Amino acid sequence: METPKTIIQVSHLSKQFGDLVVLRDVNFEVRQGEVISIIGPSGTGKSTLLRALNMLEPPTSCEIVVNGEKITAKGYPLHLLRLKIGMVFQSFNLFEHMTVLENIIDAPMQLLNLTEAQAKEEAMALLKQVGMAQKTDAYPSELSGGQKQRVAIARALAMHPDVILFDEPTSALDPTMVGEVLSVIRQLAKSGLTMLIVTHEMRFARDVSTRIFFMNEGVIWEDGSPEQIFEHPIHSATKAFVQRIQKLVYEIDTDDYDFLQIHTGFNQFCLKYNIADKAELAWSLTQEMLFTHMRTFRPLTLRLTHAELSGVTALDFMVEHLDHSPLNNAARDILRPQIKELIEEPTTRGFRVKLIMPDMF
Ligand code: ADP
Ligand code: MG
């Protein structure tokens, strides 16, 4: 099979706002028909990346080639770019003073030189496709959020762009309306349209995408198939993000440490993540580790983690510059019956003992 052609080629994309570096040397290419979901913590530059791609936020430095044309070339006409790259925003951005139909035909008439009749005919077909054919004469203020977003999608499609960028298209919606918008996007994905979608809807990202970018700290930290990113992430930051790993960390330097604070912290953490039944065992294991098995190891980093997706809760005890396990056989024998799994492993900075907590009923 022939490799589909490259639609977007991004080289050395960087973006700074004053001193704040938001994108650091991002490189990637997108091929025709790819559906790429961009996931990652907030504030990592996902929106800025999309906005840089269509020059809403001109990059500090970069070369971007879209369908063979270098759009970052000096003097490149931005109205041509709008033909190549469509965008759907979190906040819809419809023209409030225009009807649904007028919102859709406006740009094609101005930029594609369609007659009003041609533009209307096509707009009607698109509105039908997104399930909004009955609302052609309504104004945006008369529509629900989900309906507005479907109109915004039809408006983007009306320009026949080479690629459509979606920036969290469902995050401003009432939960009951997320489904109708996602199902329109799913349909588009099946039709072979090339799309980049910033989303927090993990299940959707996993089902609909041909590829996932995990963004973190201004770079594409990991780029892979949905299976790789969700099942076998290479980087621990990716894993923590996709498994929604919550953590509570304490640096214990001396024995004057306020241990009561840990007890309270555990209780609150467990309550928050619906594992209140694990709080007491976590605390008693921690006391046992701190005051018996690892009594002489200070400073020590204690971490309580809970993966919301898999339900796995664990306690980590980490000591820096240590090249062997702090546990002896007696300690192992005492610990094992109380927990699901005992892991003793070297880390890049020292040594870690991990106690995987048993499932509670
Ligand atoms: P994300 O979409 O991943 O949540 P953004 O791309 O919106 O992240 O923002 C990344 C960082 O850039 C944030 O720290 C944000 O405050 C900053 N930022 C975004 N847009 C601007 C702007 N126009 N001026 C200054 N800082 C900005
Ligand atoms: Mg954003």
Side-chain angles (χ1 to χ4, degrees):
M1 212 170 64
E2 219 179 307
T3 327
K5 74 173 173 180
T6 301
I7 295 283
I8 300 181
Q9 173 85 53
V10 172
S11 318
H12 306 297
L13 168 56
S14 294
K15 176 72 186 176
Q16 265 176 262
F17 293 107
D19 289 340
L20 180 69
V21 181
V22 175
L23 298 174
R24 354 177 150 244
D25 196 26
V26 173
N27 298 279
F28 63 91
E29 66 171 30
V30 179
R31 292 182 178 276
Q32 188 155 39
E34 281 194 300
V35 176
I36 301 179
S37 287
I38 304 172
I39 62 172
S42 59
T44 49
K46 302 181 300 296
S47 295
T48 305
L49 174 65
L50 293 192
R51 295 168 66 81
L53 283 181
N54 70 358
M55 295 289 157
L56 282 173
E57 203 66 82
T60 311
S61 72
C62 183
E63 181 176 296
I64 303 175
V65 178
V66 179
N67 218 346
E69 286 185 36
K70 191 166 152 185
I71 65 168
T72 38
K74 216 173 169 167
Y76 182 85
L78 283 185
H79 67 275
L80 288 185
L81 182 62
R82 305 283 175 254
L83 303 182
K84 292 172 171 294
I85 303 184
M87 179 118 178
V88 174
F89 300 87
Q90 180 178 338
S91 49
F92 330 121
N93 295 16
L94 295 177
F95 301 117
E96 294 292 327
H97 63 287
M98 292 184 186
T99 64
V100 164
L101 191 67
E102 287 163 355
N103 260 284
I104 295 177
I105 64 176
D106 184 60
M109 283 171 60
Q110 294 194 34
L111 297 172
L112 300 178
N113 297 320
L114 297 192
T115 64
E116 188 169 336
Q118 290 169 321
K120 278 186 175 164
E121 190 183 331
E122 191 172 2
M124 287 309 298
L126 289 170
L127 285 170
K128 209 165 172 175
Q129 192 184 335
V130 300
M132 290 295 295
Q134 322 238 302
K135 293 281 184 184
T136 50
D137 297 324
Y139 284 88
S141 59
E142 302 168 71
L143 305 179
S144 73
Q147 291 174 326
K148 284 186 208 178
Q149 195 59 300
R150 288 186 279 146
V151 172
I153 293 171
R155 183 178 61 176
L157 289 169
M159 295 299 288
H160 301 285
D162 295 323
V163 52
I164 298 190
L165 314 177
F166 294 82
D167 192 1
E168 297 196 30
T170 61
S171 60
L173 300 178
D174 191 287
T176 57
M177 292 163 190
V178 169
E180 67 197 46
V181 171
L182 293 185
S183 83
V184 168
I185 302 175
R186 259 179 230 275
Q187 206 188 86
L188 295 176
K190 276 193 202 132
S191 78
L193 186 70
T194 312
M195 309 196 280
L196 263 70
I197 310 166
V198 173
T199 184
H200 286 293
E201 302 282 342
M202 294 297 140
R203 184 152 302 157
F204 166 76
R206 189 190 174 128
D207 290 353
V208 85
S209 314
T210 55
R211 218 166 127 200
I212 310 259
F213 292 169
F214 170 64
M215 266 192 88
N216 197 19
E217 295 172 7
V219 294
I220 296 174
W221 205 269
E222 194 159 344
D223 166 357
S225 65
E227 207 213 339
Q228 180 195 322
I229 300 290
F230 287 102
E231 310 280 348
H232 316 286
I234 294 168
H235 299 289
S236 56
T238 315
K239 189 174 163 198
F241 184 80
V242 300
Q243 301 198 342
R244 296 204 307 263
I245 296 180
Q246 308 295 344
K247 61 179 190 237
L248 192 60
V249 182
Y250 297 96
E251 308 286 344
I252 296 160
D253 37 12
T254 68
D255 281 331
D256 296 331
Y257 196 86
D258 176 7
F259 293 102
L260 212 55
Q261 177 207 336
I262 302 179
H263 190 190
T264 316
F266 275 19
N267 281 333
Q268 285 170 350
F269 180 92
C270 292
L271 211 56
K272 181 166 172 191
Y273 298 110
N274 283 319
I275 46 167
D277 51 353
K278 291 183 176 174
E280 279 314 307
L281 179 60
W283 173 236
S284 74
L285 285 167
T286 298
Q287 291 180 86
E288 192 179 320
M289 290 294 283
L290 292 179
F291 306 131
T292 309
H293 312 311
M294 293 183 70
R295 192 182 57 237
T296 56
F297 296 92
R298 301 288 187 274
L300 172 159
T301 304
L302 160 65
R303 201 165 66 168
L304 174 62
T305 64
H306 178 65
E308 288 188 84
L309 220 58
S310 59
V312 173
T313 311
L315 282 163
D316 289 346
F317 301 84
M318 293 172 291
V319 181
E320 284 190 24
H321 314 297
L322 184 68
D323 59 3
H324 60 278
S325 177
L327 300 183
N328 55 31
N329 280 333
R332 291 183 185 108
D333 289 344
I334 298 171
L335 285 166
R336 280 208 180 97
Q338 304 183 71
I339 60 178
K340 189 166 175 179
E341 200 182 341
L342 173 63
I343 300 168
E344 297 164 76
E345 61 188 5
T347 66
T348 46
R349 287 190 295 163
F351 204 93
R352 165 169 53 215
V353 178
K354 187 188 266 301
L355 312 182
I356 310 274
M357 307 241 326
D359 303 320
M360 303 283 201
F361 298 101

